[in-house]
Amino acid sequence: MKQLRVVVTGIGVVTPIGTGRERFWTNLLDGRSGIGPVRSFDTSAYRVHRGAEVHDFEVENYVSTLDAAHLGRASQFAIAAARLALADANLEIASLDLERAGVSMGTTSGEPREVERFDDLFISGKLERVGPEFLALYPSHVIAAHIARELRFAGVNIMIPTACAAGNYAIAHAFDVLRAGRADLMLAGGSDSFSRITYTGFAQLGAIAPEVCQPFDRNRKGMIPGEGAGVIVLEPLAAAKRRGARIYAEISGYGLSCDAHHMTAARPDGEGAVRAMQQALEQSAIGPPDVSYISAHGTGTPTNDRLETLAVKRLFGDAAYRIPMSSIKSMLGHTMGAASAIEAAVCALSVFHDRIPPTINLKEPDPECDLDYVPNGAREHTVRVAMNNAYAFGGNNASLVLRKCEYLN
Amino acid sequence: MRNRVVITGAGVVSSLGDSSSSLQLSLCSGRRAVRPVELFSTAGLGCPLGGEIPSFDAQKYLGRRNLRPLDRTSRLVTSAAQLALNNSGWSESMRNDEELGLVLGTMFCSVHTISQFDRRAIEVGPAFASPMDFSNTVINAAAGQTAIMHNLRGINTTISTATTSGLQAIAYATDVIRSGRARALLAGGADELCFESFYGFDRAGLLCRSDQSAGDFPIPFDKRRNGFALGEGAALLMLENAEFARRRGARSLAEITGHGCGYDCSQGEEEDSAVEAIGLAIRRALNDAFAGPHEIDCLSASANGSYAGDRHEAKGVFAGLNGQTRKLPVTAIKSMLGETLGASGPMQAIALLETMRDGVLPGIKCLEEVEDDFAFELIGPDNREINLETGLINSVGFDGHCCSLVLARCDEN
């Protein structure tokens, strides 16, 4: 049966290295870092003090229907990314069939700052100050709900909180929703705000690097928690052609699997990651050697980068050495549920521009990480097929494949 | 031609029983789980009532497995999963040979675990926060823990859409099987009763008040309703590709023939918009099932006793079924279980499977006076005998989410 083809026609991002597609892409190719001292909360009781926060964000530029004062930070980011993506796609809300317009978002923590406020008041004996806003602002579904409310989207509305791979899950679902004919247009992505809960947890796991994020480097010391949002506009190819939209890339397939091994550690043989990549390629009818770029999960922890390299080598064999694979987390830190959504946007841009962002801070090669990680400088490279890999707590693996959109008129 | 999706088993851990038949027996004998909460103190709160599972012990279902890493939500889900695996005949060796996946709906997973982790870090210092608790602070923790315990290596997705999470998870899993990506998936939902979420609902003024004339209880669709009671539980269905189930000799309890959703952008603030979204979800589910309103034999409503929510649903059902609601038998099992959030839709599905089997649709406890402009006639406190071929399940959330699902008797059995 002939399947409906789904394309990416708009990109909106809020990141530690810039808000909006153009600024972000320029800074990314320039190898800018968004990592600095944490400002969201006092880190003096921690052994680590650095994070990748969004500093230049002005919510009032993006929120018009809703009252920004009654939105959590992740919802604010998400609405901004959604508005930017729609504008980037050159879509007017008035032109849409709103009952056929949907939202699919991922997150790790939802709106954790609302729980943090609850906890602070609990500890100081002032819990009575917690009012109806806790339920209105906290549950993770509010992120997708707030986007829909702001834009009046009355179609599919779903939140997929599958931790650090959530963005890929949300995009994969939106792809299925369009293919099943359940919507005409989907906004899909992920959002997370900087959170003391997340920071504490990763600090306790000994996973946070003290200074920089240096994926695949021999001396890498860990990840850097971050925040942000990424949203892409997905629509059927036929609709995009009809309205003369700029098409960044086509989504050709995805793979999801679970290690069923450990909550926070990946399987040592990379088997789950291999299955997800394999499925994504099979659905796309693409052989491993035809992949031109891999956007790595690349957190910068000693274990992740080693296992990820191993999994790619297991699936791609010798071809692994020919396929550039970079980690933008070297610049953005780990933006949690937003990470794979922002990385999917980067894959779409790589496919569109034939340029690949670098892995920065990669000074000394690790013998166990011996692939081409595009060290320290962006590269011109024909990207016909990009694969976006993401891994998460709970043993979740998600791979997405994007390709150049070719069609006969 | 899309793959057909059948239900080959179910697992439920609820305040009214830990099997489909015991749940149905409780519902049909009008038992009510809603009573003063014992898990935590409700002192100073407006509502002291909840549908708590009395003395829940996961060891009963999971034997000698190590339960220490699991919080209450994860214990509920791993237990329900074990029951669903047993009930559908998915042995350990089958799970070794075939990648089984899990789609779990949950509103909070465990906000209690998240809050405890954070409070310890603040009170004692971040260096004393528990790394093991941290792994349970992610909203997909219960799904991950269940995959680890039961060796579920396929798709592992968590869905969070308020009270519709569980039904939405079943809808998601249905499409994954229809498209051929998976042959079998556990799908359903769970939420635990805990202080943090209870406090949030209480402060939002959504829970039933204790000055209610008929008692301190939620009464869906009744004129006297003034809020719902919060409940808890886990409920999972085993969904399979019909052909695959037939070849492995599994019995099919029912077929999922359609589902649909809508979103109310006013989040319940504007009645017209709320009604339209609920109606849209129902129409989409019927279209997906190639069924007309006249083919629906009963409705398992989302109604939980909340003032506006029940009103919107009554009107939305009328709109979605083209006004054909007067002769439609209606039940609302949240009158007895309370609002179990992520577990609620899957629990409605499990109860409906029992109705399909034994022909009894549970009444709505204490319902005496249905609101005058709700177009239901076959509704009330008494059980009703029906021949259920095709049933409609509704799930309506607090923040605008609407999901509907159509279940049909399998003709081949």
Side-chain angles (χ1 to χ4, degrees), chain A residues 152-207:
Chain A
R152 311 296 297 177
F153 277 24
V156 172
N157 191 279
I158 197 162
M159 201 67 209
I160 306 188
T162 43
C164 299
N168 263 1
Y169 276 75
I171 294 167
H173 181 61
F175 170 73
D176 278 353
V177 165
L178 290 166
R179 281 200 160 183
R182 294 184 183 278
D184 293 336
L185 180 104
M186 289 294 292
L187 289 173
S191 184
D192 260 297
S193 77
F194 208 82
S195 146
R196 118 186 143 201
I197 295 172
T198 309
Y199 201 82
T200 303
F202 281 112
Q204 278 302 87
L205 290 174

Side-chain angles (χ1 to χ4, degrees), chain A residues 2-9 175 178-179 184 233-251 403-409:
Chain A
K2 203 160 154 37
Q3 287 271 21
L4 189 104
R5 293 171 68 182
V6 174
V7 294
V8 181
T9 57
F175 170 73
L178 290 166
R179 281 200 160 183
D184 293 336
V233 175
L234 295 180
E235 55 187 314
L237 172 62
K241 276 164 64 181
R242 208 160 42 236
R243 70 181 187 87
R246 168 184 51 204
I247 296 170
Y248 289 109
E250 175 177 2
I251 302 221
R403 63 189 300 172
K404 270 198 206 303
C405 183
E406 282 147 356
Y407 55 87
L408 300 171
N409 274 309

Side-chain angles (χ1 to χ4, degrees), chain B residues 93-111:
Chain B
S93 68
M94 277 175 72
R95 276 173 274 150
N96 281 332
D97 299 342
E98 174 91 17
E99 276 174 33
L100 188 60
L102 169 67
V103 185
L104 183 73
T106 183
M107 179 161 169
F108 291 105
C109 196
S110 181
V111 62

Side-chain angles (χ1 to χ4, degrees), chain B residues 163-248:
Chain B
T163 37
T164 70
S165 305
L167 206 62
Q168 193 67 61
I170 294 172
Y172 176 110
T174 299
D175 276 3
V176 168
I177 295 173
R178 274 185 181 176
S179 72
R181 184 175 288 275
R183 294 195 288 191
L185 290 167
L186 278 170
D191 266 292
E192 67 181 8
L193 200 61
C194 71
F195 174 74
E196 291 75 12
S197 57
F198 195 93
Y199 191 88
F201 281 109
D202 191 75
R203 298 292 281 179
L206 293 170
L207 302 183
C208 53
R209 302 284 118 178
S210 44
D211 57 357
Q212 189 164 317
S213 57
D216 306 336
F217 299 118
I219 317 176
F221 296 126
D222 194 282
K223 280 180 179 169
R224 298 161 299 160
R225 73 192 184 280
N226 63 10
F228 58 86
L230 208 54
E232 66 173 347
L236 292 168
L237 302 176
M238 179 64 75
L239 302 185
E240 299 188 41
N241 174 315
E243 183 56 25
F244 176 72
R246 194 187 58 76
R247 270 187 283 118
R248 82 171 181 93

Side-chain angles (χ1 to χ4, degrees), chain B residues 353-375:
Chain B
L353 290 175
E354 287 297 305
T355 299
M356 206 169 265
R357 195 178 56 77
D358 69 8
V360 183
L361 187 71
I364 300 175
K365 182 89 173 169
C366 289
L367 177 59
E368 285 168 19
E369 276 190 272
V370 179
E371 195 98 43
D372 296 333
D373 57 348
F374 294 179

Side-chain angles (χ1 to χ4, degrees), chain A residues 97-267:
Chain A
D97 176 354
L98 295 173
E99 287 187 351
R100 304 267 309 157
V103 181
S104 174
M105 290 292 285
T107 190
T108 293
S109 306
E111 297 284 10
R113 290 180 180 202
E114 306 307 320
V115 177
E116 293 168 9
R117 176 173 173 269
F118 180 101
D119 292 335
D120 288 337
L121 291 168
F122 182 97
I123 289 167
S124 58
K126 295 175 190 140
L127 195 57
E128 73 281 356
R129 288 201 199 159
V130 172
E133 75 287 347
F134 179 58
L135 190 71
L137 297 184
Y138 168 65
S140 69
H141 69 250
V142 300
I143 295 173
H146 283 144
I147 293 176
R149 202 169 177 193
E150 169 74 16
L151 305 172
R152 311 296 297 177
F153 277 24
V156 172
N157 191 279
I158 197 162
M159 201 67 209
I160 306 188
T162 43
C164 299
N168 263 1
Y169 276 75
I171 294 167
H173 181 61
F175 170 73
D176 278 353
V177 165
L178 290 166
R179 281 200 160 183
R182 294 184 183 278
D184 293 336
L185 180 104
M186 289 294 292
L187 289 173
S191 184
D192 260 297
S193 77
F194 208 82
S195 146
R196 118 186 143 201
I197 295 172
T198 309
Y199 201 82
T200 303
F202 281 112
Q204 278 302 87
L205 290 174
I208 301 181
E211 291 297 329
V212 291
C213 181
Q214 41 191 152
F216 307 110
D217 188 282
R218 183 178 202 152
N219 300 309
R220 66 190 180 275
K221 296 188 175 59
M223 47 86 78
I224 298 274
E227 65 176 352
V231 172
I232 59 178
V233 175
L234 295 180
E235 55 187 314
L237 172 62
K241 276 164 64 181
R242 208 160 42 236
R243 70 181 187 87
R246 168 184 51 204
I247 296 170
Y248 289 109
E250 175 177 2
I251 302 221
S252 56
Y254 71 88
L256 304 178
S257 73
C258 184
D259 282 358
H261 167 71
H262 189 275
M263 277 304 285
T264 58
R267 263 179 74 128

Side-chain angles (χ1 to χ4, degrees), chain A residues 36-386:
Chain A
V38 172
R39 292 191 211 165
S40 302
F41 54 88
D42 178 12
T43 60
S44 53
Y46 296 75
R47 277 169 298 187
V48 284
H49 307 282
R50 289 166 75 78
E53 293 163 301
V54 173
H55 293 307
D56 60 350
F57 181 67
E58 289 175 33
V59 64
E60 53 278 10
N61 294 346
Y62 310 102
V63 180
S64 53
T65 316
L66 300 178
D67 178 358
H70 294 118
L71 293 171
R73 188 166 170 86
S75 293
Q76 294 183 355
F77 287 165
I79 289 174
R83 284 245 183 235
L84 287 163
L86 277 180
D88 190 51
N90 203 15
L91 278 167
E92 294 287 340
I93 292 173
S95 71
L96 303 175
D97 176 354
L98 295 173
E99 287 187 351
R100 304 267 309 157
V103 181
S104 174
M105 290 292 285
T107 190
T108 293
S109 306
E111 297 284 10
R113 290 180 180 202
E114 306 307 320
V115 177
E116 293 168 9
R117 176 173 173 269
F118 180 101
D119 292 335
D120 288 337
L121 291 168
F122 182 97
I123 289 167
S124 58
K126 295 175 190 140
L127 195 57
E128 73 281 356
R129 288 201 199 159
V130 172
E133 75 287 347
F134 179 58
L135 190 71
L137 297 184
Y138 168 65
S140 69
H141 69 250
V142 300
I143 295 173
H146 283 144
I147 293 176
R149 202 169 177 193
E150 169 74 16
L151 305 172
R152 311 296 297 177
F153 277 24
V156 172
N157 191 279
I158 197 162
M159 201 67 209
I160 306 188
T162 43
C164 299
N168 263 1
Y169 276 75
I171 294 167
H173 181 61
F175 170 73
D176 278 353
V177 165
L178 290 166
R179 281 200 160 183
R182 294 184 183 278
D184 293 336
L185 180 104
M186 289 294 292
L187 289 173
S191 184
D192 260 297
S193 77
F194 208 82
S195 146
R196 118 186 143 201
I197 295 172
T198 309
Y199 201 82
T200 303
F202 281 112
Q204 278 302 87
L205 290 174
I208 301 181
E211 291 297 329
V212 291
C213 181
Q214 41 191 152
F216 307 110
D217 188 282
R218 183 178 202 152
N219 300 309
R220 66 190 180 275
K221 296 188 175 59
M223 47 86 78
I224 298 274
E227 65 176 352
V231 172
I232 59 178
V233 175
L234 295 180
E235 55 187 314
L237 172 62
K241 276 164 64 181
R242 208 160 42 236
R243 70 181 187 87
R246 168 184 51 204
I247 296 170
Y248 289 109
E250 175 177 2
I251 302 221
S252 56
Y254 71 88
L256 304 178
S257 73
C258 184
D259 282 358
H261 167 71
H262 189 275
M263 277 304 285
T264 58
R267 263 179 74 128
D269 59 2
E271 188 266 349
V274 168
R275 274 191 293 130
M277 289 190 279
Q278 227 160 10
Q279 269 183 33
L281 289 174
E282 276 167 21
Q283 186 181 17
S284 306
I286 288 169
D290 295 327
V291 173
S292 13
Y293 169 58
I294 298 172
S295 171
H297 187 57
T299 56
T301 65
T303 314
N304 175 83
D305 298 358
R306 184 171 49 79
L307 290 182
E308 190 172 0
T309 300
L310 176 77
V312 166
K313 286 200 273 195
R314 268 188 64 173
L315 179 65
F316 290 84
D318 287 344
Y321 293 90
R322 286 188 279 108
I323 303 171
M325 171 163 102
S326 64
S327 167
I328 65 163
K329 291 190 179 79
S330 57
M331 295 169 272
L332 275 71
H334 190 338
T335 57
M336 302 291 142
S340 52
I342 296 170
E343 286 150 11
V346 166
C347 285
L349 289 167
S350 294
V351 164
F352 188 68
H353 293 294
D354 286 326
R355 300 194 69 183
I356 295 175
T359 304
I360 67 166
N361 305 320
L362 181 41
K363 305 277 154 46
E364 208 180 315
D366 178 344
E368 287 190 292
C369 298
D370 55 350
L371 300 178
D372 173 6
Y373 303 108
V374 197
N376 307 314
R379 191 181 296 169
E380 287 196 22
H381 182 84
T382 304
V383 183
R384 304 188 63 78
V385 177

